[in-house]
Amino acid sequence: MKKYVCDMCGYEYDPAVGDPDNGIPAGTPFEDLPEDWTCPLCNVGKDMFSPAEE
């Protein structure tokens, strides 16, 4: 599963970790995040994330 990085603040979404503070369990691919999910640090939407460089 691919990691994604917030273009605004640099937060990295790692599907292996998820976003447990916001109800997203580990193992959730970025593509499966709810459409209304936002960056936990700066609150921008999924459209402001880019695939992380491997």
Side-chain angles (χ1 to χ4, degrees), residues 1-48:
M1 288 184 285
K2 200 167 186 72
K3 296 178 182 178
Y4 282 76
V5 177
C6 178
D7 297 331
M8 296 298 288
C9 74
Y11 168 82
E12 183 175 80
Y13 176 77
D14 182 350
V17 176
D19 181 12
D21 292 342
N22 292 298
I24 306 298
T28 303
F30 185 81
E31 295 80 9
D32 292 347
L33 292 173
E35 285 306 312
D36 61 352
W37 180 84
T38 59
C39 176
L41 299 183
C42 70
N43 293 315
V44 297
K46 286 175 62 178
D47 60 330
M48 295 300 291

